[in-house]
Amino acid sequence: FGLLRLAAAAPRLRLPAAVTRARVTSLPFIPTDWVFRFAPFICRDRVRFLLRFNQISFAMGFGFFYLWAHTPYKCDHYEGFYESPLYNFVKSDLEKTGQLEENVRIKVKHFYPQTE
């Protein structure tokens, strides 16, 4: 019953204020006390700390988006498209039954109707 009692009491438990405010008052991935201890040029006063906090957060977000999450020319064309094992299995089954040739034959290749 200890786990059940703990689960029932969980909504009433409060975390320390330092833990709940850490998300609001710290640089991403760096404890704030380390900033004050090892980088005093960043935090001489509150205004400078706020300015550096905003600059570092913006640079990290910008870098994440453009250097990590936005890989240019990655699988955005069909020539270099990654074909998974399931894709290859289904494709080989369609080739065996002849359905692949039929699908390629009737596939629409133009958005607008072509005049012949």
Side-chain angles (χ1 to χ4, degrees):
F1 288 120
L3 184 60
L4 182 60
R5 186 178 305 129
L6 181 64
R12 295 181 298 207
L13 295 177
R14 297 191 138 233
L15 293 173
V19 174
T20 57
R21 289 186 19 207
R23 190 178 239 182
V24 178
T25 60
S26 65
L27 291 169
F29 311 113
I30 302 171
T32 307
D33 60 335
W34 285 11
V35 174
F36 286 103
R37 186 182 312 157
F38 300 119
F41 57 90
I42 290 177
C43 56
R44 287 189 186 140
D45 56 11
R46 285 182 163 191
V47 175
R48 182 171 294 206
F49 180 74
L50 178 66
L51 176 68
R52 295 292 181 230
F53 178 87
N54 286 336
Q55 289 172 342
I56 292 170
S57 298
F58 178 80
M60 289 181 72
F62 191 81
F64 169 76
F65 183 78
Y66 280 109
L67 300 175
W68 179 262
H70 173 74
T71 309
Y73 309 117
K74 184 71 176 168
C75 282
D76 61 351
H77 59 291
Y78 293 112
E79 288 79 25
F81 189 71
Y82 169 72
E83 296 177 353
S84 67
L86 177 63
Y87 176 84
N88 290 329
F89 175 74
V90 172
K91 185 177 176 182
S92 67
D93 278 352
L94 290 174
E95 286 175 349
K96 289 176 190 172
T97 61
Q99 290 178 326
L100 183 64
E101 289 81 15
E102 179 64 15
N103 288 345
V104 170
R105 186 184 69 78
I106 63 174
K107 180 180 179 183
V108 177
K109 295 181 175 67
H110 301 286
F111 182 74
Y112 294 106
Q114 299 294 310
T115 57
E116 296 178 21

